[in-house]
Amino acid sequence: MKARLGLIGTGNMGGAMVQGLAHRQDLELHGYDPDKSCLERLGRECGLKQQPGPAELARDCDYVVLAVKPGLAPAVAAEISSSLDRSKCLISVAAGVKTGDLAFWSNKACPVVRVMPNTPALVGRGVFALCLEDDTLSPEQAGFIQGLFQDLGQVHVLPEKSFDAFTALIGSGPAYVYYFMESMVDAGVYMGLGRAQATEMVLELFAGSAHMAHKEKCHITQLKEMVTSPGGTTTAGLGALEKRAVKAAVLKAVQEAARRSRELGGK
Ligand SMILES: NC(=O)C1=CN([C@@H]2O[C@H](COP(=O)(O)OP(=O)(O)OC[C@H]3O[C@@H](n4cnc5c(N)ncnc54)[C@H](OP(=O)(O)O)[C@@H]3O)[C@@H](O)[C@H]2O)C=CC1
Ligand SMILES: O=C(O)[C@@H]1CCC=N1
């Protein structure tokens, strides 16, 4: 029998998960979102079954993914609590929201798993943190959930205390990468390259560099040194980045994101 997986909220993250899982023949995907247009599109493109509300979705599904904004988590978890039971599992992707709070809001009706995803899940290249610390979670449920996210990318089982750090670095991470990409395209345009061509070049620069870092088993610093000829162009460019404390700015960005994650979780 197919496992029934329901997403409450099919925006950026819920929608990315639906699209990443649409190929799975062993899954029946259900969704609820007040935005009917995204539900209809995911119905057409991915076979998502529309549910009339969160409670109905929770009643009909084995695994219920909470993919609403963190501020809505208490109300939605409470709303579905009477549709949950021990055979089901609540999976939350909400930034900052802790498993203990989710269990409390949902009246401890079923096991709770906290996941921090990132958007490349859309193309099967997400990076996920899974918190599997709920001792009411069965080995079958834990195995199913790990398999589910492995299908969407790379999985790291982490203690909940590491979630703010992971959220700040990896959950938010794609935005930092795109920010850097955008800056490089703009720099190319500033130097006279066409925007479309500069974009194509920068995308391949990132893809090629990441691929090389995966393939060559050496340290990232060593890869950087391979590019940097003494007295050459790269050292001039890196010097300018150092002068503007770009590394310190990246560190600060991740610290600020972690602070916000703690704040969203009420800490
Ligand atoms: N985007 C990302 O990269 C990541 C997001 N997350 C987490 O995922 C969660 C969702 O974020 P994201 O997808 O970006 O947000 P979006 O706003 O794109 O999606 C949330 C969706 O939930 C809908 N919604 C609002 N109220 C309800 C409700 N009562 N029941 C069901 N759906 C509802 C919203 O509809 P409407 O717009 O009409 O209100 C919207 O379509 C957040 O908790 C976030 O922390 C985690 C990691 C990465
Ligand atoms: O910006 C956010 O709050 C969410 C969580 C991680 C990525 N996006």
Side-chain angles (χ1 to χ4, degrees), residues 95 116-117 167 171-172 264:
M116 181 42 57
T167 301
S172 298
L264 287 170

Side-chain angles (χ1 to χ4, degrees), residues 23-238:
H23 70 282
R24 289 262 304 242
Q25 298 298 316
D26 61 333
L27 281 183
E28 195 175 278
L29 295 170
H30 295 242
Y32 168 72
D33 195 296
D35 177 359
K36 297 292 169 253
S37 64
C38 81
L39 277 182
E40 275 156 23
R41 181 179 58 77
L42 292 169
R44 273 195 315 277
E45 293 174 5
C46 307
L48 184 82
K49 292 180 192 303
Q50 282 190 43
Q51 286 283 354
E56 291 85 348
L57 179 146
R59 184 197 59 208
D60 289 351
C61 290
D62 310 302
Y63 295 89
V64 179
V65 180
L66 201 58
V68 296
K69 293 281 187 225
L72 287 174
V76 178
E79 185 181 349
I80 62 175
S81 61
S82 59
S83 304
L84 297 169
D85 61 53
R86 291 256 152 256
S87 70
K88 299 176 188 269
C89 185
L90 179 62
I91 303 170
S92 166
V93 300
V97 178
K98 295 191 284 292
T99 50
D101 289 331
L102 289 157
F104 176 75
W105 299 324
S106 59
N107 214 10
K108 297 196 173 160
C110 71
V112 173
V113 168
R114 181 171 167 194
V115 176
M116 181 42 57
N118 68 3
T119 50
L122 182 69
V123 292
R125 295 292 301 269
V127 184
F128 301 91
L130 266 54
C131 172
L132 303 173
E133 290 172 350
D134 186 330
D135 52 20
T136 65
L137 188 72
S138 73
E140 292 72 30
Q141 288 170 322
F144 176 86
I145 292 167
Q146 288 191 63
L148 191 73
F149 287 100
Q150 274 158 3
D151 217 30
L152 290 170
Q154 189 184 82
V155 169
H156 298 264
V157 176
L158 290 183
E160 190 159 25
K161 64 178 165 48
S162 301
F163 264 60
D164 294 319
F166 181 91
T167 301
L169 188 67
I170 304 297
S172 298
Y176 312 142
V177 173
Y178 297 133
Y179 179 87
F180 208 75
M181 281 180 169
E182 181 190 65
S183 307
M184 292 199 68
V185 171
D186 285 347
V189 172
Y190 184 78
M191 300 303 292
L193 299 174
R195 184 166 292 278
Q197 210 173 16
T199 302
E200 208 180 322
M201 291 169 184
V202 167
L203 288 184
E204 192 53 21
L205 170 69
F206 274 74
S209 305
H211 189 65
M212 183 172 162
H214 271 294
K215 282 250 165 197
E216 301 294 320
K217 297 289 176 218
C218 48
H219 196 280
I220 288 177
T221 304
Q222 225 176 319
L223 295 174
K224 193 182 75 178
E225 283 173 4
M226 279 167 69
V227 192
T228 313
S229 311
T233 60
T234 314
T235 192
L238 288 172

